[in-house]
DNA sequence: TTGAAAGCGCTACCAC
DNA sequence: GTGGTAGCGCTTTCAA
């Protein structure tokens, strides 16, 4: 692997017999002389010149890079976001940097702080928890930031939200309509943004249906399959009259479906199940599982679009977009 | 969003009452005078100085960035890789850039070419198809490259492989031992690296078991759920004697499980099913699905480690690592 | 040990 | 329209 010398703009200039300024202009389309452009291009070909992003960045003060920070790319919701963010940015020439922070708030703050290093032009942040220090850091970001998730109203950054409160409520109402009366809920941690919102939505749903809330029917499971399975097993053993389970995400709900099967309960005959996030897991499960889509893909796309507007120099006040949830009804709750 | 002036090393120097060289040295640990270090650090705090990555990169000629290019981060195998690559790189201070090329060979070549822009120090490439132009581009990469996937022997880059040929053979042998005699195979496209290898492995497996290959029992499905479902439905309708289905990945195999259920065939009683990649889908399916792990996580980690060695200046000859497959037997094939 | 100064490769301003 | 030239913010010689 011989580290060949990378030709610079000077080599091109020499070969073309012009000045480096002319080369720069020709390459950036700031010249009207067609002959000049042709000569420069020929020289570029000849020496195999490729502009240095780094030098350009130092001069122009932008990098063509955007970062996306979330807890774990392994989470289907974040994955959906990335899959939309990347092409949206890429279309206009931005590259995407990925930060999986592993639910470490310290790490997220580190990302926020490191923005001052100016290695990216903007950031899309999807925090699992929003602390006071987050808010503080978001007051004076070194580059434009878009936050996906709930944010205090006075934080001056663009903000894209899901409405998982309404989503959870929709699920409960649907289960009620389908005939369920003892609707259990397996949530994620209450101190996370989605955990809190879904909990509230569940309660709201019960009220809207005239069902009495019963805290014994609520469990917490860290958003994972095994947690859902354990919680559901426990739940159904202690409360055999439960006739529906809402999972705070599809993994939890899938775990619950497995537990139900192990307990010999039929889905949806004995117990109806609904998940949240509407990931591929839901569509491919057996029976296919109803799930509340929180529009992860849309949130990703919209966040990217908002950020691009800022990067274009848009100075209008921070925007707040809420993506409505939608329920996909499949066999598990019919 | 007031674009405040970012303090430079000059401000720090002025406040500390020293030269910019001293600031640089103190910050990079190239000074032994403790007093100097203290003064500089104090000044850094005072003005809120954060070094510019870009300026550092221009000078030092490295960026602290590594790119990972694959077809689609939505694919579970690539996802697993990313999940290991990122922390491995991050641990030593590298950031990860993501290129989802969307199975566009042109795009992959673009990534390879753009390496000359020196916006990254290295690349991990996981091509779905390897063309002559890939090979050509890989002969003189501008920065170290590690390829995950099959590669001609004479291409001088580090290379991490799965052995999906052996993996597919293992699956066939397992199905045979379990009692299957008419083992069908739903593959991905034959012109992809994994599609080809798995096809060969399937044939090898049949031979090893003394089963007669029958091309009618092979279908192609583009590695997706619906493809697997369609193919399986078609297959089982035309060949009701099929008693086992191997899917070239878990999505295909899941699709097949659904088709079987729709056809009223019991898994594993009537038809045994095995998938490949051993994704979360397999473990959470019902019944839990046997699957051949091709070590995606390990391949990702190893690729990252190999790349880090190169970035450390290791000049030894290109290495070739093959990660062995392993079969996880679950209910679907018992 | 410290400071002055020379670039890294580029853009953009200024005269011509 | 074209060519000098002054930096962008940093690291790293080189002398003192």
């Amino acid at each position: 692997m011989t580290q060949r010398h990378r030709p610079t703009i000077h080599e091109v200039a020499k070969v073309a017999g012009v000045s480096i300024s002319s080369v720069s202009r020709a390459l950036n389309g700031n010249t009207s002389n067609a002959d000049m452009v042709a000569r420069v291009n020929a020289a570029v070909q000849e020496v195999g010149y490729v502009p240095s992003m780094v030098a350009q960045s130092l001069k122009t003060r932008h990098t063509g890079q955007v970062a996306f920070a979330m807890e774990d790319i392994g989470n289907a919701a974040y994955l959906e976001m990335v899959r939309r963010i990347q092409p949206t940015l890429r279309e206009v020439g931005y590259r995407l940097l990925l930060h999986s922070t592993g639910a470490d708030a310290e790490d997220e703050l580190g990302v926020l702080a490191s923005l001052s290093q100016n290695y990216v032009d903007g950031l899309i942040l999807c925090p699992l928890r929003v602390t006071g220090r987050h808010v503080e850091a978001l007051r004076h970001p070194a580059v434009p930031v878009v936050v996906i998730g709930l944010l205090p109203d006075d934080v001056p950054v663009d903000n894209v939200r899901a409405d998982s409160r309404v989503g959870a409520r929709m699920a409960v109402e649907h289960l009620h309509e389908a005939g369920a009366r003892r609707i259990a809920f397996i949530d994620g941690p209450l101190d996370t943004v989605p955990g809190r919102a879904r909990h509230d939505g569940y309660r709201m749903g019960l009220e809207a249906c005239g069902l009495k809330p019963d805290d014994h029917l609520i469990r917490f499971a860290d958003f994972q399959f095994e947690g859902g399975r354990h919680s559901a097993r426990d739940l159904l053993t202690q409360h055999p009259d439960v006739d529906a389970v809402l999972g705070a995400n599809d993994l939890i709900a899938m775990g619950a479906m497995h537990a139900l099967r192990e307990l010999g309960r039929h889905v949806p005959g004995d117990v109806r199940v609904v998940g949240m996030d509407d990931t591929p897991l839901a569509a491919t499960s057996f029976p296919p599982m109803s799930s509340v889509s929180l529009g992860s893909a849309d949130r990703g796309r919209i966040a990217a679009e908002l950020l691009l507007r800022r990067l274009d120099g848009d100075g209008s006040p921070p925007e707040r977009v809420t993506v409505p949830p939608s329920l996909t009804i499949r066999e598990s709750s019919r």
Side-chain angles (χ1 to χ4, degrees), chain A residues 56-258:
Chain A
Q56 277 181 323
S57 294
L58 181 59
K59 190 67 194 172
T60 62
R61 307 173 123 343
H62 48 81
T63 60
Q65 299 186 160
V66 164
F68 176 50
M70 33 67 230
E71 180 213 348
D72 173 18
I73 180 79
N75 181 310
Y78 301 135
L79 180 60
E80 270 317 299
M81 293 179 193
V82 174
R83 292 183 71 188
R84 298 301 290 277
I85 292 173
Q86 211 242 357
T88 304
L89 294 176
R90 180 203 161 70
E91 201 169 319
V92 290
Y94 280 97
R95 292 185 292 271
L96 182 67
L97 272 144
L98 213 62
H99 290 286
S100 276
T101 58
D104 182 348
E106 223 41 61
D107 242 35
E108 269 177 12
L109 292 166
V111 170
L112 239 19
S114 71
L115 292 181
S116 303
Q117 300 181 337
N118 277 14
Y119 64 97
V120 288
D121 299 337
L123 169 70
I124 298 174
L125 178 66
C126 192
L128 192 58
R129 298 173 172 83
V130 175
T131 69
R133 291 173 63 203
H134 279 88
V135 171
E136 202 41 56
L138 286 171
R139 287 207 191 286
H140 305 291
V143 296
V145 174
V146 177
V147 170
I148 300 180
L150 220 55
L151 212 57
D153 278 339
D154 62 329
V155 182
V157 303
D158 290 313
N159 181 210
V160 184
R161 312 180 160 184
D163 200 338
S164 56
R165 212 159 39 98
V166 167
R169 200 189 66 199
M170 285 171 60
V172 171
E173 290 175 347
H174 158 64
L175 287 167
H176 180 252
E177 273 172 36
R181 291 300 173 264
R182 291 284 281 168
I183 303 174
F185 179 42
I186 308 178
D187 198 5
L190 255 194
D191 67 338
T192 60
V193 172
R196 182 77 237 173
R198 290 163 202 200
H199 179 267
D200 294 349
Y202 165 72
R203 301 287 299 234
M204 284 170 51
L206 291 182
E207 278 178 37
C209 299
L211 293 176
K212 200 165 95 320
D214 178 354
D215 280 351
H216 296 105
L217 300 191
I218 301 181
R219 290 289 189 287
F220 300 94
D222 225 5
F223 290 124
Q224 298 302 319
F225 177 83
E226 275 307 329
R229 187 174 182 169
H230 264 98
S231 299
R233 189 183 301 143
D234 191 54
L235 191 61
L236 269 288
T237 307
Q238 290 184 32
H239 304 278
D241 60 332
V242 161
D243 55 8
V245 176
L246 172 61
N249 69 1
D250 283 346
L251 274 175
I252 288 178
M254 282 295 290
M257 296 236 292
H258 275 247

Side-chain angles (χ1 to χ4, degrees), chain A residues 1-5:
Chain A
M1 195 161 341
T2 27
Q3 198 66 346
R4 276 204 314 283
H5 172 67

